[in-house]
Amino acid sequence: MVADNDHSSRESQNGVHAPEGSEVVRSPEVDFPIVAIGASAGGLEALEVFFSNMPSDANMAFVVIQHLSPKHKSIMGLLLEKHTDMKIQVAEDGVKLKPNHVYLNPPEKNLAIMHKVICLMEPPYIHSLNLPIDYFFQSLSDDQGERSICIILSGTGTDGTKGLRAIKGVGGMAMVQDEKQARYNGMPSSAIGTGLVDYVLPVEEMPQTLIRYVRHPYVEGQRQSTISQDKLNRIFMATRHVTGHDFSHYKKNTICRRLQRRMAVHQIEDIDDYIRYFQQTPTEVRLFFKDMLIGVTKFFRDKNAFEFLKETVLWEMLKDRPYGSNLRIWVAGCATGEEAYSICIIVAEVMKALKGSFNVQVFATDIDSEAIAFARAGIYPQNISADVSDDRLTNYFSRDNDTYRVKKEIRQMVVFSEQNIIKDPPFSKLDLISCRNVLIYMESTLQKKLIPMLHYTLNPGGYLFLGTSESIGEFSGMFSAVDSKLKIFKRSMTSTDANNMLFNFNANVDTGTEIVKSKPTDLSIRNIAEKIIIEDYASPGVLINDKSDIIFYIGNTGAYLMQPTGEPTTNILKLVSEEIRYALSAVIHGVVTRKKTVIKEGLKLKHNNHTITFNIIARPLIENPQTKNMIMIVFEEKSAMKGNTVKKKVSKKEPEENSDIIKLQQELQATKEYLQATIEELESSNEELRSTNEEMQSTNEELQSANEELETSKEELHSTNEELETVNAELQNKLNELSRVNDDLNNLMAGTEIATIFLDNKLCIKRFTKSVLKIFNLRQSDVGRPISDITINIEYPSLYEDAKTVLDTLSRKRIDVVSNIAQWYTVSIIPYRTLENVIDGVVITFMDITELKSTIRFSERIIDAMRDPILILDVKLNVISSNKSFHETFKVDKADIINRAIDIACNGQWDIPELRGLLEATISQGRAFNGFIAEREFKGIGLKRVLLNGRRVDQGDHMPGLILLYIEDITIDGRDK
């Protein structure tokens, strides 16, 4: 195959992004990357680390895809909010993505994207297996093309690998968590195994690497800058030197984009710097070569095309073909083998429908040796179930843990080999060629060489299967379109037949020169000469495989081989005359065991009333790995002249030798009879073994059926386990957070030394702090008992009734009480509200105010000793204390003024607006006032003119200030007091 051999068109399948070669210009408002993050079991911890290290203004949108249980409400958003300032939301249908936002996939829905708008899709539950990460990665590759970015974190299984291939196929970037760090390394290991990952990093290093990548000029600007031809030539020379392959005639736009993407991965902005790095680093050359060979393929890609190929092309090709005849197919650019196996499967299905068997030979070739090795193994991840039907999985694959293995009957149809379609000789006499999405990356000079070559290799009436973005161009005379939309063509027999063209497959292609030279006489004369030599002069023969089945005839073998009556066969031992069957069997056995040429001379055979004297020459074809199990058998006939001479010589001693001949013939006949008896016994044993084998196959089918049921159950358990892992990680995180909150709460309670008791809706004890033990006679076993049953050490007989009132009315209650040992407490009773704003009991706190009471009493004594009237106000201008002089001077009781606002105390006698303004300024700004004169009519004492002074008194840190208001001078009825 040629390089860059992915089986998908690198153009978008839905036409979202610009075609190859166009200049993409994006407006700043919409020009931001979209980063798809796939995570499964163990991914929560990795996501927390990732977003903790990712700046919230990086100008990227993040879409997180997890395996979620459809019945479990995820709390991922709540957990991630603590690690980033970006807005986190569950993705909704029709929402347009915005930068610096994190979108989470909802349960029971798959995410897709079109023009940066989210689409919620019903999950395709094929074989009970849904792959949401692959689904979104594929959608992102279609929508964003080479701007696509994917990250795979911890998880089990292989979800994400197929989507990663799609993103790499369009030139995007892939980043994977280091499998040594991942809690579950299934997903990371599967992704790394593709060889396509750009970065394998610990999670904490991913954000900065990602930021550097998206800020590279190539990624940020997305303008196709031209790389000069001389610089490209230096790249091509280094690539050819290291890999032996030449990319100089591939499309320049494809080459430039791949080079610029490699520059972005290595954070190199200047092309000259990159060329120096490229020439000095063979590893980078191989990575670039691998980048050009990305094979994005899958089973039955373009299903309509494969159905048409099966129902129309193959059916038409095989329905009238004799059973046992050859069917030769070439899959050029097979990548990792999915397309080759897909063709084998539909061929097997057609043969089953026709109830016949053909000698199917599928040659699958590719330039990528690693892809060929992968294809030969025939082992694929479980996510192929999204592309292969349930019946085909059962019939043509065997399940092995998390992988599917192609069954032997299909694998035996295919011969995989490494081949460069540009310079290596092609196969010949083919019935079908599949060369899909190979030509689109080549310049026209290469296409003009390859299309006639493909025509040349096909049999008359053979078919050519191209990719959806390819065409036969100017060579329409060589092919007729079977279905132009599906790009299936049939070889035409025209005057410009490609058999009349001479191809130099090993020559290099020179730009601007004619690739195909018409030289009609040379090749036709050579073909005629070869045909005459083979038919008239060469000894007849056959080519057989290791099962003695004939796979190719040479010359006229009618004298030696004949088709028996009954079921048709290709086995040479059944086709050869009985007279030479045993000799031929011995020759074949000798070749197989000794791996050397074996010759059996002097054999005779009657044909058309004549006796033919001939030799059998059997030669193993061990020179080529593809033919190492094949044997060439030649029937070499002796000349008539030589035969006559021998007869004359023998006739001189005819009587003596005739008796020897008769004796030998008798011995030979006896040997034949013995051998025949042995063969019959062997055939009988074989029949018994065959019967036993059929019974074993029947038992095996039953076991296989039971195994498939177990596998289905295993898949369901595996899916459930992943969901439980995700839920468990979230709950574990929540539990850790709850534990920290409880520790903080316990330390807070212990630090404040505030006695607190929690009651439920029945006023039974739920919880209490240690400080409560000074007030209640409590033990831990009292949890659950009503508060009314507990002995209390304070004078508060109405505690139960007050708590019930608070629970019923939801109004707070606050009261000062004294204990049996003369300690004062402020009791506060408030409703207990949950996060859902549901009342679930009451909370009672006891704050020790003994020192405060003592200080207040001491302060009151000092104030009472003062001669001038004094008031103490709080920040709300309520009177909290007054001295004895004030009561005596203004004839008021303490109860008429304490805990009342000054403007309503004493029946409003102190309602002076100017005074209120001064007091408010004092408490807010600390501004004292002196000598404020007020003249008022006071009840019981008449008119008074008073001189007022105010000061703010600070109580210390975090305590509200007080106002000291004292009356310095009083004049009554115009006279000084």
Side-chain angles (χ1 to χ4, degrees):
M1 131 162 217
V2 296
D4 206 12
N5 62 327
D6 65 308
H7 280 205
S8 71
S9 172
R10 303 299 164 90
E11 284 75 35
S12 171
Q13 297 298 318
N14 53 21
V16 173
H17 63 275
E20 181 177 334
S22 64
E23 184 178 87
V24 182
V25 181
R26 305 174 188 267
S27 61
E29 291 78 8
V30 297
D31 187 21
F32 61 89
I34 298 172
V35 182
I37 304 176
S40 181
L44 174 60
E45 179 182 349
L47 286 168
E48 290 178 346
V49 174
F50 178 86
F51 285 110
S52 295
N53 289 275
M54 173 59 69
S56 59
D57 57 352
N59 195 41
M60 287 180 268
F62 299 90
V63 182
V64 178
I65 309 294
Q66 308 172 83
H67 293 166
L68 298 175
S69 169
K71 299 180 181 179
H72 173 69
K73 181 180 178 182
S74 176
I75 57 174
M76 177 67 75
L78 296 175
L79 299 176
L80 292 183
E81 282 179 352
K82 299 168 184 174
H83 300 276
T84 180
D85 292 332
M86 286 185 280
K87 183 177 180 181
I88 299 177
Q89 64 186 81
V90 177
E92 297 179 357
D93 195 41
V95 171
K96 191 173 183 67
L97 297 183
K98 297 179 181 179
N100 303 323
H101 283 59
V102 180
Y103 301 87
L104 308 177
N105 65 314
E108 294 188 303
K109 296 289 182 182
N110 277 356
L111 286 191
I113 183 173
M114 172 72 76
H115 303 302
K116 293 192 175 181
V117 176
I118 289 176
C119 304
L120 297 185
M121 311 295 289
E122 291 297 328
Y125 285 107
I126 303 175
H127 323 302
S128 303
L129 182 64
N130 182 33
L131 303 169
I133 301 175
D134 278 334
Y135 192 91
F136 183 74
F137 282 8
Q138 177 68 58
S139 176
L140 182 66
S141 70
D142 291 340
D143 190 61
Q144 294 296 298
E146 57 197 18
R147 287 179 61 83
S148 305
I149 299 173
C150 68
I151 298 176
I152 293 179
L153 302 177
S154 172
T156 59
T158 60
D159 194 8
T161 299
K162 182 178 175 183
L164 181 145
R165 285 184 177 273
I167 285 177
K168 291 297 297 178
V170 295
M173 190 271 277
M175 184 180 290
V176 176
Q177 182 181 7
D178 189 340
E179 55 187 329
K180 295 179 181 178
Q181 184 195 54
R183 179 175 295 182
Y184 296 91
N185 64 4
M187 283 169 46
S189 295
S190 177
I192 295 170
T194 64
L196 305 177
V197 178
D198 295 299
Y199 302 101
V200 178
L201 298 170
V203 178
E204 59 270 15
E205 297 180 16
M206 287 183 173
Q208 290 305 315
T209 303
L210 179 61
I211 290 172
R212 288 195 299 269
Y213 174 80
V214 299
R215 290 180 180 173
H216 189 274
Y218 166 67
V219 180
E220 197 170 43
Q222 282 300 303
R223 296 181 180 273
Q224 290 291 336
S225 59
T226 303
I227 300 177
S228 63
Q229 186 62 47
D230 64 318
K231 294 178 181 178
L232 287 176
N233 288 339
R234 292 159 66 188
I235 293 288
F236 298 147
M237 290 177 65
T239 304
R240 187 174 62 184
H241 176 72
V242 175
T243 67
H245 297 288
D246 185 5
F247 291 153
S248 59
H249 289 285
Y250 285 71
K251 289 183 178 178
K252 296 296 186 294
N253 288 334
T254 300
I255 299 292
C256 290
R257 286 204 314 272
R258 289 288 186 261
L259 288 173
Q260 289 167 334
R261 205 193 67 78
R262 296 300 306 168
M263 292 169 63
V265 168
H266 292 291
Q267 296 298 300
I268 300 175
E269 297 186 8
D270 185 73
I271 184 63
D272 290 324
D273 293 339
Y274 179 72
I275 290 175
R276 280 192 294 272
Y277 173 74
F278 192 86
Q279 293 173 332
Q280 297 169 3
T281 314
T283 303
E284 175 61 16
V285 178
R286 295 186 184 95
L287 289 173
F288 168 71
F289 176 71
K290 184 73 174 177
D291 215 13
M292 293 294 295
L293 299 180
I294 295 173
V296 181
T297 182
K298 64 180 182 180
F299 284 92
F300 304 100
R301 189 175 185 88
D302 302 325
K303 291 187 178 180
N304 292 337
F306 272 91
E307 285 303 312
F308 185 87
L309 194 68
K310 172 187 172 183
E311 301 294 338
T312 303
V313 175
L314 287 174
W315 183 270
E316 192 69 26
M317 190 185 300
L318 297 177
K319 67 177 183 177
D320 297 325
R321 183 171 297 204
Y323 293 160
S325 59
N326 293 336
L327 176 66
R328 292 167 60 84
I329 300 172
W330 181 18
V331 180
C334 67
T336 47
E338 287 89 337
E339 183 163 314
Y341 288 127
S342 298
I343 291 176
C344 290
I345 288 172
I346 62 176
V347 169
E349 290 173 343
V350 172
M351 289 195 299
K352 184 177 180 181
L354 291 173
K355 298 181 180 179
S357 177
F358 300 91
N359 181 27
V360 182
Q361 293 176 299
V362 178
F363 305 100
T365 63
D366 198 286
I367 197 174
D368 187 352
S369 58
E370 293 182 6
I372 288 295
F374 185 94
R376 280 199 187 105
I379 301 173
Y380 295 92
Q382 61 179 348
N383 56 18
I384 66 168
S385 59
D387 305 314
V388 184
S389 68
D390 203 2
D391 289 341
R392 283 171 173 167
L393 282 176
T394 302
N395 295 331
Y396 304 111
F397 294 85
S398 58
R399 187 69 186 269
D400 184 11
N401 294 328
D402 292 333
T403 61
Y404 286 100
R405 180 189 292 271
V406 181
K407 286 187 175 179
K408 185 178 180 180
E409 62 186 273
I410 298 298
R411 292 208 312 274
Q412 285 181 336
M413 294 184 184
V414 195
V415 176
F416 289 99
S417 64
E418 186 178 348
Q419 183 204 43
N420 189 330
I421 195 173
I422 298 174
K423 63 180 182 179
D424 293 334
F427 297 90
S428 61
K429 296 183 180 181
L430 300 167
D431 298 295
L432 171 66
I433 297 176
S434 174
C435 184
R436 308 188 67 206
N437 300 304
V438 173
L439 304 178
I440 56 175
Y441 303 107
M442 299 179 180
E443 292 180 334
S444 59
T445 52
L446 280 181
Q447 293 184 6
K448 289 179 181 179
K449 173 184 177 179
L450 291 178
I451 293 176
M453 182 270 289
L454 296 175
H455 180 276
Y456 168 77
T457 60
L458 283 170
N459 287 327
Y463 292 87
L464 176 63
F465 187 19
L466 297 180
T468 55
S469 299
E470 296 170 326
S471 66
I472 57 176
E474 63 187 72
F475 299 99
S476 56
M478 296 182 178
F479 297 92
S480 60
V482 179
D483 191 307
S484 57
K485 182 179 179 181
L486 300 178
K487 300 303 173 69
I488 298 177
F489 304 90
K490 189 173 183 179
R491 183 184 190 271
S492 300
M493 295 298 294
T494 67
S495 59
T496 58
D497 196 317
N499 281 333
N500 296 328
M501 297 182 179
L502 180 62
F503 302 99
N504 182 6
F505 296 111
N506 295 316
N508 292 326
V509 181
D510 295 324
T511 305
T513 62
E514 185 66 32
I515 304 303
V516 181
K517 301 290 185 181
S518 178
K519 204 171 183 179
T521 58
D522 292 351
L523 193 58
S524 59
I525 292 173
R526 186 183 70 185
N527 288 342
I528 293 171
E530 288 176 353
K531 183 178 180 181
I532 292 173
I533 291 171
I534 291 175
E535 292 182 355
D536 296 347
Y537 298 98
S539 297
V542 292
L543 185 66
I544 66 172
N545 60 18
D546 55 350
K547 296 180 180 179
S548 297
D549 290 328
I550 300 174
I551 59 178
F552 193 79
Y553 289 87
I554 303 169
N556 185 5
T557 59
Y560 306 94
L561 305 176
M562 64 182 68
Q563 186 67 42
T565 59
E567 185 177 350
T569 181
T570 59
N571 190 290
I572 190 171
L573 295 177
K574 294 182 179 180
L575 295 175
V576 77
S577 172
E578 185 177 356
E579 298 174 66
I580 61 172
R581 181 178 301 164
Y582 305 109
L584 179 60
S585 176
V587 169
I588 294 174
H589 180 72
V591 172
V592 171
T593 55
R594 288 181 283 177
K595 299 296 181 183
K596 293 181 179 181
T597 300
V598 177
I599 302 176
K600 182 70 173 178
E601 298 180 335
L603 297 174
K604 293 184 179 182
L605 179 67
K606 289 184 179 180
H607 180 67
N608 294 335
N609 298 322
H610 294 285
T611 300
I612 303 172
T613 302
F614 63 96
N615 301 332
I616 296 179
I617 303 174
R619 180 181 184 275
L621 304 183
I622 59 176
E623 294 83 357
N624 192 314
Q626 296 181 17
T627 61
K628 63 180 182 180
N629 293 325
M630 298 180 184
I631 300 173
M632 175 72 76
I633 297 178
V634 177
F635 302 99
E636 184 184 44
E637 184 177 351
K638 295 186 178 181
S639 66
M641 184 180 297
K642 186 176 180 180
N644 292 334
T645 304
V646 173
K647 286 181 180 179
K648 289 179 180 179
K649 291 181 179 179
V650 171
S651 64
K652 293 181 180 180
K653 299 181 180 180
E654 188 173 359
E656 182 180 349
E657 292 188 359
N658 278 344
S659 97
D660 292 338
I661 291 173
I662 293 171
K663 183 179 179 180
L664 289 172
Q665 286 177 341
Q666 289 174 347
E667 291 178 357
L668 179 61
Q669 183 63 30
T671 304
K672 284 183 179 181
E673 290 175 358
Y674 176 79
L675 182 60
Q676 183 63 32
T678 304
I679 291 174
E680 288 176 357
E681 292 178 3
L682 179 62
E683 289 178 348
S684 176
S685 300
N686 284 340
E687 286 295 332
E688 294 177 1
L689 288 174
R690 189 176 295 108
S691 176
T692 304
N693 184 55
E694 289 176 356
E695 293 176 2
M696 292 182 64
Q697 286 181 346
S698 176
T699 304
N700 185 57
E701 288 176 358
E702 295 176 1
L703 292 173
Q704 182 68 22
S705 177
N707 184 58
E708 288 172 358
E709 294 177 3
L710 291 174
E711 287 293 343
T712 301
S713 301
K714 181 181 177 181
E715 286 180 2
E716 294 174 356
L717 289 173
H718 181 73
S719 176
T720 304
N721 183 59
E722 285 193 353
E723 294 167 0
L724 290 176
E725 286 286 351
T726 303
V727 173
N728 182 63
E730 293 180 354
L731 293 178
Q732 185 63 41
N733 191 288
K734 200 70 176 176
L735 183 62
N736 293 337
E737 181 183 348
L738 180 61
S739 177
R740 289 193 298 270
V741 171
N742 283 335
D743 291 341
D744 294 343
L745 183 60
N746 289 332
N747 281 281
L748 176 64
M749 292 296 185
T752 57
E753 296 185 353
I754 298 176
T756 306
I757 189 168
F758 298 87
L759 308 180
D760 59 18
N761 286 325
K762 295 181 181 180
L763 300 182
C764 295
I765 298 171
K766 294 195 301 184
R767 185 176 179 180
F768 56 86
T769 63
K770 291 183 179 180
S771 301
V772 170
L773 301 179
K774 299 178 182 178
I775 303 168
F776 291 89
N777 298 323
L778 283 174
R779 290 176 296 183
Q780 194 63 37
S781 59
D782 290 326
V783 172
R785 294 180 59 189
I787 189 67
S788 57
D789 293 352
I790 307 301
T791 304
I792 189 171
N793 297 327
I794 59 174
E795 296 179 5
Y796 194 180
S798 62
L799 175 62
Y800 180 83
E801 288 75 12
D802 288 350
K804 190 175 186 306
T805 301
V806 170
L807 187 62
D808 294 338
T809 63
L810 305 183
S811 298
R812 298 189 176 197
K813 177 73 174 180
R814 186 184 181 94
I815 188 173
D816 292 344
V817 297
V818 66
S819 70
N820 299 339
I821 56 175
Q823 281 187 298
W824 283 87
Y825 296 93
T826 294
V827 182
S828 178
I829 307 175
I830 61 173
Y832 181 94
R833 296 179 184 271
T834 65
L835 291 175
E836 289 78 17
N837 201 27
V838 176
I839 303 301
D840 191 26
V842 295
V843 180
I844 307 175
T845 59
F846 301 84
M847 183 177 293
D848 192 340
I849 57 171
T850 304
E851 290 187 15
L852 180 60
K853 283 287 187 180
S854 299
T855 302
I856 291 174
R857 286 196 298 270
F858 181 73
S859 300
E860 287 176 347
R861 294 191 190 98
I862 294 176
I863 292 173
D864 280 341
M866 301 294 291
R867 184 175 64 85
D868 293 329
I870 295 175
L871 293 177
I872 297 177
L873 312 178
D874 61 14
V875 293
K876 296 182 179 180
L877 304 185
N878 294 322
V879 178
I880 63 172
S881 183
S882 57
N883 66 351
K884 184 177 180 181
S885 175
F886 183 88
H887 301 153
E888 292 175 349
T889 302
F890 295 100
K891 310 299 185 185
V892 294
D893 293 333
K894 193 169 187 176
D896 295 333
I897 193 169
I898 296 300
N899 294 329
R900 295 189 180 186
I902 190 169
D903 50 4
I904 64 173
C906 304
N907 298 318
Q909 294 177 357
W910 292 94
D911 186 10
I912 306 171
E914 294 85 353
L915 176 61
R916 185 173 185 84
L918 292 171
L919 293 173
E920 290 176 348
T922 300
I923 198 64
S924 62
Q925 304 174 18
R927 186 185 301 166
F929 63 89
N930 297 311
F932 174 73
I933 299 175
E935 187 173 319
R936 303 286 289 176
E937 182 75 30
F938 293 97
K939 183 178 179 181
I941 60 175
L943 181 64
K944 279 191 176 184
R945 179 180 295 167
V946 294
L947 183 65
L948 301 174
N949 302 286
R951 298 283 187 280
R952 188 175 76 176
V953 179
D954 293 326
Q955 299 189 82
D957 295 340
H958 311 298
M959 294 291 290
L962 302 176
I963 299 177
L964 178 64
L965 180 67
Y966 62 95
I967 304 168
E968 187 177 358
D969 186 36
I970 302 175
T971 303
I972 304 175
D973 298 331
R975 302 185 302 276
D976 293 338
K977 177 182 174 184

